[in-house]
Amino acid sequence: MKELKERIVKEGLVIPPNILKVGSFLNLQVDPVLMEQIGEDFANHFAGKGVTKVVTIESSGIAPALMAAKAMRVPLVILKKKPSKILNSNLYQTEVTSFTTQTSYELTLSAEYINENDHVLIIDDFLADGEAATGAIRLMRMAHATVAGIGILIEKSFQPGHDKLVAQGFDVYSQARIASMDKKNGVHFVEE
Ligand code: 5GP
């Protein structure tokens, strides 16, 4: 997606070895106009796929996922990151290791908002090793829902997440696919 790639080139900061900071428009400050364009782009890509709900992971996924949900006219469900397991029959939980902090958390879904009739679009800000997306997929299985697709804003294609998800048969759509990045040469996208 052209607008997102332009912002990454202009404002993205590469933190060696492989973290990209996009605090100025996504993670710390949010550009609502860009988020609206991102939401519409996801809605166009996944049109006709029978999506009943958009699901995202707090907190940086919420802004773009809300805009996608608005464009698709479906509710947004938020997966929470809880520090530890909570024994509660109304919750589904699964452990995920965070790529950026290398710590673990319990990704948590409130059972009342997703069920066997749902066909969900999972949206997240970044795709690196695929741990967060795989955790979200596990929660959808626990709720007996099906996955219509996975929408990612920024995919670091030099990490294994994309290939792992595609190998499992998921429709992964990433709006910006980074082939390589470093401080000196900046960000280079996968040719499409
Ligand atoms: P994965 O689970 O695919 O390894 O990593 C994806 C998650 O880690 C995303 O939810 C995102 O929050 C975080 N993440 C991974 N790589 C980056 C990065 O380069 N920059 C930022 N800001 N977050 C990242």
Side-chain angles (χ1 to χ4, degrees):
M1 188 199 164
K2 190 169 150 281
E3 295 86 348
L4 177 59
K5 287 183 183 172
E6 283 171 2
R7 292 296 286 275
I8 293 169
V9 168
K10 217 164 121 205
E11 297 170 40
L13 292 175
V14 179
I15 311 293
N18 51 16
I19 297 283
L20 179 69
K21 294 246 176 186
V22 286
S24 62
F25 63 86
L26 177 61
N27 293 133
L28 300 173
Q29 168 173 269
V30 180
D31 181 336
V33 175
L34 179 65
M35 293 306 122
E36 194 167 42
Q37 292 167 326
I38 280 170
E40 281 161 8
D41 185 64
F42 279 134
N44 285 338
H45 182 86
F46 290 103
K49 294 279 161 80
V51 173
T52 61
K53 286 187 182 172
V54 173
V55 170
T56 194
I57 301 169
E58 67 169 348
S59 55
S60 294
I62 296 175
L66 177 64
M67 290 298 145
K70 182 180 177 231
M72 299 176 96
R73 293 284 184 265
V74 297
L76 169 65
V77 174
I78 299 166
L79 305 178
K80 301 282 204 176
K81 293 173 180 168
K82 302 273 185 196
S84 58
K85 233 184 176 56
I86 301 163
L87 291 173
N88 180 333
S89 59
N90 296 324
L91 298 177
Y92 296 115
Q93 290 194 301
T94 188
E95 191 178 322
V96 169
T97 302
S98 161
F99 177 80
T100 39
T101 62
Q102 284 304 313
T103 55
S104 292
Y105 57 86
E106 292 292 331
L107 195 62
T108 303
L109 165 68
S110 288
E112 64 198 288
Y113 299 116
I114 298 285
N115 63 37
E116 68 276 12
N117 299 319
D118 283 313
H119 195 48
V120 304
L121 169 60
I122 296 169
I123 290 185
D124 201 11
D125 58 346
F126 276 86
L127 177 60
D129 289 343
E131 290 298 315
T134 304
I137 293 164
R138 282 198 298 274
L139 290 178
M140 296 310 115
R141 289 212 177 106
M142 288 179 199
H144 304 289
T146 49
V147 176
I150 299 161
I152 301 290
L153 277 73
I154 305 172
E155 171 191 306
K156 293 183 292 181
S157 307
F158 53 87
Q159 290 186 242
H162 174 271
D163 291 351
K164 275 201 259 182
L165 295 171
V166 169
Q168 292 171 68
F170 292 108
D171 176 3
V172 182
Y173 171 57
S174 304
Q175 293 173 324
R177 303 188 69 204
I178 298 178
S180 66
M181 59 182 199
D182 63 63
K183 250 184 135 96
K184 193 162 147 257
N185 301 304
V187 172
H188 293 278
F189 297 101
V190 173
E191 307 264 350
E192 321 206 50

